[in-house]
């Protein structure tokens, strides 16, 4: 759903305020309202964020996992700017600290996050599987999880030689992550949003 017909630059987007709590992504200069997610969507993102944080702490990594807070500037396909907000983003602690006094966005000239997660809904299915996959691949994000409660599957994309290789996980299959190799989560646990 498009919020406005006026095309915006990234700078316009970062300072945009419509006086509500509604959140937007910027896609080719257009504000796209982020719909209120279903409870299952929230349970999945919260669960994964908690699991990633625990693994970061267990490994003593200088990383953070943030749920829906960090925007990522995308390469332009055309004339207009794009910024996506993944459901979960894993980045360096240094990057996060650098955002404390500015907008929480990773710019094109900055290192990409290590991992992003998108939880599929009816309204985001095509975007999550196609355009975000292409953008995240171009940005060099090493791992992209597509958690799909509609198809009851988790797709993990690993960056290999600048292209994503896809692995599909269903039911009790343990998800294989190159970023968090110690995680022992099944697809069903992730889809349930619980251990």
């Amino acid at each position: 759903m498009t919020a406005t017909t006026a095309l915006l630059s990234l700078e316009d987007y970062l300072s945009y305020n419509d006086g509500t709590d509604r959140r937007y992504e910027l896609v080719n200069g257009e504000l796209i309202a982020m719909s209120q997610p279903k409870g299952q969507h929230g349970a999945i993102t919260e669960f994964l964020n908690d699991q990633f944080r625990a693994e970061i702490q267990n490994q003593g990594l200088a990383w953070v996992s943030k749920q829906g807070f960090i925007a990522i500037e995308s390469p332009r396909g055309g004339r207009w700017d794009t910024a996506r907000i993944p459901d979960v983003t894993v980045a360096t602690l240094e990057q996060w600290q650098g955002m404390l006094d500015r907008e929480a966005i990773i710019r094109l000239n900055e290192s990409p996050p290590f991992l992003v997660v998108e939880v599929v809904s009816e309204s985001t299915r095509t975007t999550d599987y196609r355009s975000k996959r292409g953008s995240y691949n171009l940005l060099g994000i090493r791992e992209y999880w597509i958690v799909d409660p509609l198809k009851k599957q988790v797709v993990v994309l690993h960056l290999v030689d600048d292209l994503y290789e896809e692995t599909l996980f269903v039911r009790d299959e343990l998800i294989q992550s190159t970023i968090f190799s110690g995680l022992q989560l099944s697809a069903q646990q992730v889809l349930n949003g619980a251990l």
Side-chain angles (χ1 to χ4, degrees):
M1 174 176 151
T2 303
T4 180
T5 56
L7 295 178
L8 303 177
S9 69
L10 184 65
E11 297 311 316
D12 294 334
Y13 165 71
L14 293 175
S15 63
Y16 182 79
N17 183 347
D18 65 359
T20 71
D21 289 336
R22 183 172 286 278
R23 297 177 57 225
Y24 299 91
E25 287 186 325
L26 182 69
V27 180
N28 296 321
E30 292 184 49
L31 289 176
I32 305 298
M34 297 176 72
S35 61
Q36 180 63 29
K38 292 183 179 179
Q40 181 184 27
H41 185 282
I44 291 168
T45 56
E46 183 176 45
F47 173 74
L48 282 174
N49 194 45
D50 289 346
Q51 295 301 309
F52 294 161
R53 286 180 171 189
E55 193 64 19
I56 288 166
Q57 186 173 5
N58 289 343
Q59 292 185 32
L61 301 168
W63 297 358
V64 293
S65 181
K66 297 294 176 183
Q67 182 179 335
F69 291 137
I70 300 175
I72 301 170
E73 182 180 5
S74 295
R76 285 189 195 189
R79 263 186 76 199
W80 297 99
D81 293 324
T82 295
R84 300 292 193 173
I85 303 173
D87 290 312
V88 181
T89 303
V90 176
T92 68
L93 178 60
E94 181 181 8
Q95 275 182 305
W96 175 247
Q97 289 171 335
M99 293 181 230
L100 295 179
D101 293 326
R102 66 171 175 90
E103 293 83 5
I105 184 168
I106 296 175
R107 301 287 192 129
L108 286 174
N109 64 342
E110 298 174 351
S111 296
F114 298 113
L115 183 151
V116 294
V117 175
E118 297 287 1
V119 179
V120 176
S121 63
E122 287 287 348
S123 64
T124 66
R125 181 182 301 166
T126 301
T127 303
D128 292 340
Y129 277 101
R130 299 198 59 161
S131 59
K132 288 185 180 182
R133 177 183 177 146
S135 293
Y136 296 159
N137 190 136
L138 283 173
L139 288 167
I141 296 173
R142 290 173 32 202
E143 196 164 292
Y144 171 32
W145 291 28
I146 304 171
V147 180
D148 191 340
L150 306 173
K151 293 184 177 179
K152 298 184 180 0
Q153 65 185 22
V154 177
V155 178
V156 176
L157 301 152
H158 299 102
L159 197 61
V160 177
D161 297 328
D162 297 327
L163 291 173
Y164 276 142
E165 288 190 1
E166 176 180 313
T167 308
L168 177 71
F169 300 94
V170 296
R171 296 180 294 281
D172 292 328
E173 295 174 346
L174 290 181
I175 295 170
Q176 303 297 310
S177 170
T178 56
I179 301 298
F180 293 116
S181 57
L183 275 182
Q184 294 290 305
L185 297 175
S186 71
Q188 195 60 55
Q189 287 174 310
V190 171
L191 292 164
N192 290 344
L195 289 174

